Amino acid sequence: MEKTLSRSTERERQYGIQIGYRTLSIRVDERELPQKPKKSKDPADAIAAIDVHLIPSDQVYTRYSCHPTVGLEAAAVQRKLKLDGKNIISPPPTKYWLKALNYVFGGFNFLMWIAFIVTILSYKPLGQPPAAFNLGVAMLLMIVITVSATFYALVDWNASRIMKSIKSLIAEEASVIRDGQQQLIPANEIVVGDIVVLSTGERVPADLRIVQMSSDLKFDRSLLTGESDMVPGSLDSTADNALETRNLALTSTFVTQGTCHGVVFATGDRTVMGRLVSMSGDAKFKLTTIQKEIWFFTKVISTVALSLFCLSLLLFGVWLRTSYPGYDTVSTAIVNSIGCLTAFVPQGLPVCVALSLTVIARRMAKRHVLVKNLATIETLGCISVLCSDKTGTLTAGKMAVESVAFLDVAYNAKDFIAGITNAASPTRVAGSASSASQTGLPSPTTLPPPSSVHVLHTIARLCNGAKFASSQDSCTNEKPIQDSECMIKGDPTDTAILRFATSLSAVDSMARENVAKYAKAFEIPFNSKNKWMMTVVRDASIIAEVDEVGGAEFEKKESWKCEQEVLERQEGTWMFVKGAPDILFPACGSVMLSDGSVIPFGQVEREKLGAMQNEWSSGGQRVLVLCRKPLPLFKPSLPPSDLEESLYKDLHSLTLVGLVGIRDPPREDVPSAIEVIRRAGVRVFMVTGDFKLTAVAIARQVGIVTQQQIDTIADVRSFALAGKFAPGTIPAPLLKPSPDDPIRSLVLTGEDVASLSPHDWDIILSHYTELVFARTTPDQKMRIVESIKARGDNTVAVTGDGVNDAPALKAADIGVAMGAGSDVAKEAAALVLLKNDFASIPVAIEMGRLVFDNLKKVTLYLMPLGSYTEFMAVLSNVLLGMQIPLSSYLQVCFSITNDVVMSISLMHEKAEADLMLRKPRNARTDRLTDWRLFFQIYLFIGLMAWPCAMSMWFVYMRQQGLGFHDVILVYNSWKGGWKGYSADQLQTFVNRGQCIYYVTMVFIQYGSILAIRNRRVSLLHSNPLWGPRRNLFVPVCMIGTALIAVVNLYGPGLQAVFSTTPIPGMFWGPPFAFALGILCMDEARKACVRAWPNSFIAKMAW
């Protein structure tokens, strides 16, 4: 104990901590230690046992041995880190057995298992004697199952790896107070007792008890509770239940508004989230659009295949076995019936789908686009409306103050600072004419006296939510700062004003001294609804005097006179307000001139500053007004909520000090990207909280608005436009602009949005192509997205980077967040642009369309030969009494090797030239497999492919002296010999005929794949060997599939087991002619589509 007290005394000298505080901490710890309850292994009991929210804030510091201003010491941190481990939540226990079952039996594998089991039964005991062929087919089916399961596992592993990389983007660092300093540390190094500092947009890194907070503190707990409503913070307990009380900040929730300090009471698996994860296990799997379509297609095909398999066995048992005894044995009938499963089912389709998504995801990753779920890639191709935030998304997010103005004079910001720097006297400086002319501002010959400059500087510096991450003097007030020198943490607007204020501090020592004498007493941070920030500061040197005298004498005076007197006496408490001019102008009663004098703020003054605001905003600047007001009646002893309420009431009779114009230039890549997006049929809307004129100016610069005439809400409601259709007369899916309509532009404010009726929305979304929403709140942004989604069958994407964008990102079909954005935005989004590159969005849209296009091509490629042509071989055996022209082995081999190998080339296809010129796909009506696709499969390519393969079978049989009627409808006539041939000779003919049928299918593939590569364009303009559509996978895969055929025919082991055999040389040539014929027919079809786009042939085109 003596050693402990000695250490406490030593710390007291260093930090000024009272011995009594430390002694109390030791006594409480010693008293409570024996009373600690035994730890329960049940996570629910551990959550129910949380009581930190029920004790007062001062006792929280005592319980966790930390200090309000010092935090934890380095030695304590290391000790706790060693004891409790890293602040990492263990992933939920994976049910590997369940995953393994899904891999083994998922997709078409369950049909392959049926085929495998039945084939084994046909080998033994049904096979008398057992046939090696049947055993070989069974082994091949097992190989197919194994390969498919392995591939599914690899795809799943790759998806989980992507999710881990996404998690690494969020909550990597946290701000804590240690050893009396605020530090930025890795979030996984937080320990119990740390004091964490949280601000708007940050993710809560551990479970915290809130001990300090701003009055507007709110959290997004949707990840924890599923509820989208924002939860306000509190210093006191609001419920006994730890999950419901508002004075706890729980892991993985987000700060959506305000700031707070919290003491960590649980980390890692001991947090509420960690315990819930251990209770809930794996998250429920949710199918995406493309997964639903593939699953639907799989169910349909599987049902049909299984039905045909059962029908085949039924026909054998009821008809063939009795009417044509000896035609097939039970074993042979079963193996041939398996052809209904192996032939009709495209076994390679699930593999090809997963591989296609993986290939596209890798392409997107090269463009630094991170996709959370591979299957959501396809949804990108459906985007018909893109709602984009302005700041940080369309603009670079590198704001800088460009203009400064008092009522009577305006300056270029650089001239303003340079003039003070080079001044020979405090009041007379030379301005830079060239620099001023660039912004349209007059070139000043004089700058205002220090009094007005100091007031402007003080408000800019103290009414500011941004702060330096480093506490070094060089980053505060000693010299002008550069972006690369000091990191500033905060909103881009506040950051720009802080840099401007710091630049003034660097060249004006009086300005530094003027700021240094004030201490912040209270603050109301900026929020999207108020659109202003308020700070209350007090002059420490005269606070006692002012409090004693009181403020009664000030109440009797007019506001502007009171301002003038307090300005002269330089005493008391001040309210500093910074915000949107259109919001704060009505609250101003006086205005400061450049010479420091104050006059009433009348209509003339308001119009003059309003004109200046409009001029700056029309040039793309964000305009803010800086105001102040004396607060002689300020009562800091009031509770925070009461104090905030009183300050809201005091928000009147402000003195308008000046305006600042902030420029945030558009990203260089944005105009060209928006041009590409609009050319793709996607409407681009701007949704921002900025001023209307600023939003329109930026929208013009980036190409969102192209029309000179911009309508307003009055035009929407005008009789001429609104009278075009009555409410409810047009179905919601049809509420979209017609391609023949002229382009119309519209700008709406948040007030307009709040007043829109459903009929107004119908008019807006069916008539306007260019929309700008300004001065919107987060709730209004979400309403905008939901209204757009409800009309025109729109698939809506939303881009954003801030906390205020999170509700809209969640409401959208596809949320796109910037990599440099807030954690809230990245959590809500489905897509993260790691390099903040807006040009990646059209690439993502193109990749989404491409993956759907390629999947359609893969399906179209697999079905005519790998399903239709194979099935016709089985059908001829079961119904037409002919020896099966394609063995079960060759059916399976073709589907899982030749088909998949050739499909790889389609997965690597580049976008067709017109891909980004087509209309966006309607996710509701444009399906992956529609009647046009089936027409192409069964009545065009397939209808040419299977007769070609079948004809080669009959040609070979004719060469052996067996005519058409000697082969078909013969049933059991071949049993003991036929037409002078023995049974062994006939079986040799069948084996060779089956290989000819197989080889014909292999080389018909060449024409099929070359035809399918392009939907509209001729092969002459998009060949696979050179040019923009070069795809060297095509010739490589052609060689690969030919080699597989050669191995099947000439492999000694395969010949012995599966009765494959070399074929005559003449049968290697005709398949190439068939392939060329199919290609030429498809080229003729495409030519008709291009020549007559409205013809019946064009309407049937896939």
Side-chain angles (χ1 to χ4, degrees), residues 789-815:
K789 286 173 62 179
R791 294 164 176 83
D793 272 345
N794 287 313
T795 299
V796 182
V798 172
T799 65
D801 64 341
V803 178
N804 59 332
D805 300 318
L809 288 169
K810 288 182 180 179
D813 295 295
I814 289 285

Side-chain angles (χ1 to χ4, degrees), residues 222-449:
S222 58
L223 193 65
L224 192 66
T225 64
E227 298 179 3
S228 58
D229 293 338
M230 299 300 104
V231 179
S234 172
L235 290 176
D236 303 315
S237 175
T238 57
D240 291 339
N241 190 332
L243 294 177
E244 296 178 2
T245 187
R246 295 177 177 178
N247 64 339
L248 297 183
L250 302 177
T251 305
S252 297
T253 60
F254 291 92
V255 182
T256 58
Q257 191 171 302
T259 59
C260 70
H261 289 195
V263 176
V264 177
F265 68 87
T267 60
D269 291 334
R270 290 171 293 279
T271 62
V272 170
M273 178 62 78
R275 297 186 189 280
L276 291 177
V277 167
S278 65
M279 290 167 62
S280 60
D282 289 331
K284 292 183 179 180
F285 181 70
K286 186 178 179 181
L287 292 175
T288 61
T289 306
I290 191 65
Q291 288 171 329
K292 288 177 181 177
E293 294 218 10
I294 295 297
W295 176 233
F296 175 76
F297 181 69
T298 302
K299 286 191 295 184
V300 171
I301 293 295
S302 300
T303 302
V304 174
L306 202 56
S307 301
L308 292 174
F309 170 71
C310 295
L311 180 62
S312 176
L313 289 179
L314 185 64
L315 288 174
F316 169 76
V318 175
W319 173 43
L320 295 177
R321 189 176 183 182
T322 57
S323 300
Y324 303 100
Y327 174 48
D328 274 336
T329 64
V330 174
S331 175
T332 305
I334 289 175
V335 172
N336 288 344
S337 296
I338 286 172
C340 294
L341 297 178
T342 58
F344 198 79
V345 172
Q347 296 99 322
L349 182 60
V351 175
C352 293
V353 169
L355 195 56
S356 295
L357 293 171
T358 304
V359 168
I360 298 298
R362 286 179 179 174
R363 290 187 187 178
M364 295 178 72
K366 289 180 181 179
R367 294 297 303 264
H368 306 287
V369 178
L370 191 60
V371 186
K372 288 186 178 180
N373 186 343
L374 290 181
T376 61
I377 295 175
E378 180 271 334
T379 310
L380 291 165
C382 303
I383 294 173
S384 56
V385 174
L386 174 64
C387 296
S388 179
D389 179 41
K390 180 181 74 68
T391 305
T393 305
L394 297 174
T395 59
K398 296 180 179 179
M399 295 188 176
V401 175
E402 184 167 295
S403 308
V404 183
F406 294 94
L407 175 64
D408 50 345
V409 64
Y411 302 93
N412 174 273
K414 291 182 179 179
D415 293 339
F416 191 76
I417 296 172
I420 295 176
T421 305
N422 302 323
S425 69
T427 59
R428 306 288 295 181
V429 297
S432 170
S434 61
S435 179
S437 63
Q438 292 175 4
T439 60
L441 298 176
S443 176
T445 56
T446 63
L447 284 182

Side-chain angles (χ1 to χ4, degrees), residues 63 79 266 291 426 643 677 722 743 751 864 983 985 1014 1070:
R63 173 179 288 192
R79 185 172 62 254
Q291 288 171 329
L643 185 55
I677 293 171
I743 295 176
E751 292 182 2
Q985 287 177 310
N1014 305 291

Side-chain angles (χ1 to χ4, degrees), residues 898 901-902 1002-1003 1005-1006 1032-1046:
N898 298 86
V901 167
M902 289 293 283
V1002 167
F1003 293 115
Q1005 280 184 315
Y1006 289 10
L1032 296 180
F1033 279 95
V1034 173
V1036 171
C1037 291
M1038 286 180 173
I1039 295 171
T1041 193
L1043 291 176
I1044 292 171
V1046 170

Side-chain angles (χ1 to χ4, degrees), residues 1065-1083:
M1066 67 161 289
F1067 290 97
W1068 289 92
F1072 289 97
F1074 296 148
L1076 181 61
I1078 291 175
L1079 177 60
C1080 290
M1081 286 293 293
D1082 196 65
E1083 284 290 306

Side-chain angles (χ1 to χ4, degrees), residues 975-1010:
K975 180 180 178 182
W978 179 248
K979 297 295 181 178
Y981 293 106
S982 65
D984 290 339
Q985 287 177 310
L986 292 173
Q987 187 59 48
T988 300
F989 296 159
V990 170
N991 293 340
R992 186 166 286 115
Q994 289 173 342
C995 291
I996 291 172
Y997 195 99
Y998 167 71
V999 168
T1000 305
M1001 289 173 55
V1002 167
F1003 293 115
I1004 287 178
Q1005 280 184 315
Y1006 289 10
S1008 175
I1009 202 163
L1010 291 175

